[in-house]
Amino acid sequence: MNKYQEALGLIKIKAPINLIEELPRHPDKKYKNRKISKIKRIVVHTTDWKTTPLRIAEYDIKPNHISDSGCPAITYHEMIGVEGDIFQTLDYTEVSWHVGMWNPSSLGIALCYRCSNKKGEDVYAPKRALLHTLEVRCGQICLNLGLTPDKVVGHRELKGTGWTMFKGSKRLRKTCPGKKVDLDKVRRNVARFMQIVLGANGLYTGKVDGLFGPKSNKAFQLYLSQE
Ligand SMILES: [Zn+2]
């Protein structure tokens, strides 16, 4: 066993629970479909509430802040529950409504935790365990879809939906997935996980430093060509 295989053995996250067929959908509306190869990024959100996929699906398909007549189905493709469960909530081929013009090329993944206080100020951080699950899950998805770690972004980082230019400077529209979520740190940990998997497969021999440079990229390309 090499050191990467040892490290991989120590990473424990739960297996995903597939709820796609169980969640309620809108009676007559449908999302557009796409090929999986159209997905170019994973967008991280917060529900800003300790909620469940069922409650989010029920909210999304009724008249809401996104659509006057409700969305066709839940807007997130996956959710990470309060206890660190990973729920698959929508097929990746469905173009759901979570980031405006970025929807056709984005996958939405939501963290179930409360970031705002009673005054609506974004002040609370998610538990480290929840972030760890997010980072490993995003790493798995990146490996499957051929996305590099820099393709994991927060809702607030996307132009138009997360921020806009106002009088020559950047103005934030959203703080999602929560101000206390350090997205650079998330990406570094996604990269670390990917380096471990690439090493465990005998394709990477460098440091597990979360810096996805030429050596990591070369190993990743080899990994993808072997599939
Ligand atoms: Zn969001």
Side-chain angles (χ1 to χ4, degrees):
M1 196 186 264
N2 70 29
K3 63 178 181 178
Y4 305 97
Q5 287 163 339
E6 269 173 45
L8 190 58
L10 295 173
I11 296 168
K12 298 264 182 276
I13 65 163
K14 297 179 185 176
I17 299 165
N18 190 336
L19 299 179
I20 295 172
E21 301 297 324
E22 290 171 41
L23 295 175
R25 301 182 68 104
H26 195 280
D28 35 59
K29 293 172 81 174
K30 275 194 168 61
Y31 286 130
K32 283 187 180 151
N33 279 96
R34 66 179 165 203
K35 285 186 181 151
I36 303 276
S37 60
K38 295 284 175 199
I39 299 169
K40 300 297 174 210
R41 74 190 67 75
I42 303 170
V43 184
V44 182
H45 297 271
T46 171
T47 57
D48 196 17
W49 196 255
K50 288 183 177 177
T51 186
T52 63
L54 179 61
R55 283 162 74 183
I56 294 290
E58 284 170 345
Y59 172 84
D60 285 347
I61 63 175
K62 286 180 189 144
N64 59 47
H65 73 283
I66 306 163
S67 165
D68 290 341
S69 56
C71 306
I74 194 166
T75 49
Y76 305 126
H77 296 89
E78 297 200 357
M79 293 178 69
I80 299 180
V82 184
E83 304 298 330
D85 291 305
I86 300 166
F87 300 105
Q88 295 170 297
T89 48
L90 190 68
D91 200 278
Y92 288 3
T93 58
E94 295 197 60
V95 179
S96 67
W97 304 344
H98 58 115
V99 280
M101 68 174 189
W102 305 94
N103 288 333
S105 53
S106 299
L107 204 67
I109 179 163
L111 286 172
C112 293
Y113 84 102
R114 183 87 199 246
C115 63
S116 61
N117 63 15
K118 283 180 183 164
K119 291 186 206 158
E121 299 157 336
D122 182 347
V123 290
Y124 303 124
K127 285 183 188 157
R128 183 62 225 157
L130 208 64
L131 283 175
H132 174 71
T133 304
L134 172 79
E135 290 157 358
V136 173
R137 184 61 184 158
C138 285
Q140 292 173 340
I141 299 171
C142 283
L143 287 162
N144 282 337
L145 301 187
L147 302 174
T148 44
D150 57 308
K151 299 298 188 288
V152 177
V153 300
H155 186 178
R156 69 167 176 265
E157 295 179 306
L158 288 177
K159 190 181 179 180
T161 171
W163 58 274
T164 50
M165 288 305 284
F166 183 74
K167 292 184 177 170
S169 58
K170 221 168 150 176
R171 180 197 256 189
L172 218 54
R173 290 183 69 229
K174 306 264 183 188
T175 58
C176 184
K179 272 186 190 167
K180 295 275 163 101
V181 177
D182 180 341
L183 292 156
D184 287 324
K185 191 173 166 188
V186 168
R187 282 183 280 268
R188 253 188 106 152
N189 287 329
V190 170
R192 279 196 181 93
F193 174 76
M194 292 171 72
Q195 288 171 330
I196 289 170
V197 173
L198 295 170
N201 280 278
L203 302 169
Y204 181 72
T205 54
K207 283 183 192 163
V208 178
D209 56 6
L211 302 172
F212 215 77
K215 258 182 112 171
S216 303
N217 267 307
K218 199 178 162 202
F220 190 25
Q221 290 314 312
L222 269 171
Y223 176 86
L224 294 171
S225 68
Q226 285 181 351
E227 281 189 330

